[in-house]
Amino acid sequence: MTGVLITGASGGIGRALARLCARPGVTLFLWGRHEGRLEETAALCRARGAVAHIRALDLADGRAALAALREDDGRAPVDLLLLGAGLPDIRPPEALTEDPEVVLAMAQVNFATPVAMATEAARLMAARGRGAIAAIGSVAAFHDLPQATAYAGGKAGLARFMTALHAAMAPHGVRVTVVSPGYIDTAMSRRLNGARPFLMTPEDAAARILDALGRNAPHVVFPRVFVLLKWLDALLPRCIVHRLMRRAVVRQSPA
Ligand SMILES: NC(=O)c1ccc[n+]([C@@H]2O[C@H](COP(=O)([O-])OP(=O)(O)OC[C@H]3O[C@@H](n4cnc5c(N)ncnc54)[C@H](OP(=O)(O)O)[C@@H]3O)[C@@H](O)[C@H]2O)c1
């Protein structure tokens, strides 16, 4: 029995990943906060012949997440860990800074808990000599986003952690990948008021994540146009980039 643990499985990309992984012989551990939506994902997976367990857990509690990971691994060895959960926030133009309480929760959910889970999973997988771990970062990590400092910073940290873990785990048979998507058509990006250029479906994103893991790619960016934007940003002087970035008016609804 192969165990697959997915965080953020109650919607969007996480649900699309669960559907792609669901088949007879697979035990899925589906994590999120919203039990009703997790049950919907589980029903889709069971219809495809997989065993599916749900777990409602707030990743702001990193210790509870580590204990739950060990418990699930004891039920069926987790050979595939997909860290999809993410918490976005955008500072309203009238606010001076982001809310420090929200920033703390985002640091936990987008960085601290996933890196702790990836570390524990890597330890368990390396002892078995097999396994794969993917985390969903964001192209936001490539830019100094004045309206989303915590989101950009957390995703940048996550990406660096994952490529470092890739380097550490390569000799031990554990594949490690971070993906940095652009706009994906999920509840998260639908909250934005502006345009969503080069929009992709969650199904397409999920397929690219599993493909990247299959190739053991350390870091994959999609759509590729965001690689160009990353290099353009890096080439320009910071003062110009920052002035342009400050001009952007981005809102999320609800705020
Ligand atoms: N959509 C995009 O344009 C885009 C672009 C780049 C990167 N991403 C990244 O892709 C990942 C998946 O996002 P998505 O687009 O699929 O958005 P989504 O549909 O809103 O899904 C977000 C998932 O994260 C879970 N989550 C949020 N806060 C949590 C918490 N405190 N504890 C546990 N689970 C929590 C949610 O669970 P509940 O709903 O049950 O609370 C949900 O399952 C995220 O890491 C996001 O940052 C998205």
Side-chain angles (χ1 to χ4, degrees):
M1 219 22 139
T2 294
V4 178
L5 195 160
I6 305 175
T7 70
S10 50
I13 305 171
R15 177 174 287 176
L17 282 167
R19 281 179 68 131
L20 276 184
C21 292
R23 65 182 73 92
V26 170
T27 297
L28 286 154
F29 299 106
L30 306 169
W31 290 21
R33 286 175 302 184
H34 194 283
E35 265 187 46
R37 287 199 293 267
L38 283 173
E39 264 309 340
E40 286 169 19
T41 308
L44 292 169
C45 296
R46 290 181 193 124
R48 291 172 173 246
V51 173
H53 303 286
I54 66 162
R55 188 184 284 276
L57 185 143
D58 190 332
L59 294 180
D61 187 345
R63 291 213 165 76
L66 280 178
L69 166 60
R70 290 179 195 124
E71 188 182 303
D72 285 352
D73 191 74
R75 295 161 94 184
V78 173
D79 292 327
L80 178 56
L81 173 65
L82 300 169
L83 297 162
L87 196 54
D89 190 49
I90 291 179
R91 171 175 58 84
E94 57 278 10
L96 280 178
T97 66
E98 290 156 56
D99 177 340
E101 295 293 331
V102 176
V103 166
L104 184 60
M106 289 173 74
Q108 196 77 44
V109 173
N110 293 349
F111 179 75
T113 298
V115 307
M117 287 181 69
T119 303
E120 178 62 354
R123 193 180 65 81
L124 294 165
M125 290 172 182
R128 295 191 282 265
R130 64 169 200 277
I133 305 168
I136 308 185
S138 169
V139 295
F142 307 153
H143 307 286
D144 297 337
L145 301 178
Q147 304 86 355
T149 58
Y151 187 72
K155 292 293 189 181
L158 179 67
R160 176 65 74 185
F161 166 85
M162 289 298 283
T163 52
L165 189 68
H166 178 103
M169 288 297 116
H172 302 290
V174 180
R175 286 173 282 148
V176 180
T177 292
V178 60
V179 298
S180 298
Y183 294 100
I184 313 296
D185 191 15
T186 66
M188 188 181 286
S189 72
R190 280 181 220 126
R191 288 181 65 198
L192 299 171
N193 68 343
R196 296 179 295 161
F198 316 108
L199 189 67
M200 290 175 60
T201 65
E203 290 74 23
D204 195 1
R208 286 173 192 244
I209 292 165
L210 296 184
D211 175 69
L213 260 183
R215 292 183 284 112
N216 197 19
H219 185 192
V220 169
V221 182
F222 53 81
R224 297 291 295 165
V225 64
F226 284 98
V227 179
L228 282 180
L229 294 175
K230 176 187 178 194
W231 290 119
L232 185 64
D233 180 311
L235 285 173
L236 288 170
R238 286 302 81 195
C239 57
I240 295 180
V241 171
H242 289 179
R243 204 173 304 145
L244 289 171
M245 293 272 185
R246 277 196 299 269
R247 277 197 196 152
V249 179
V250 193
R251 282 184 186 274
Q252 62 187 6
S253 69

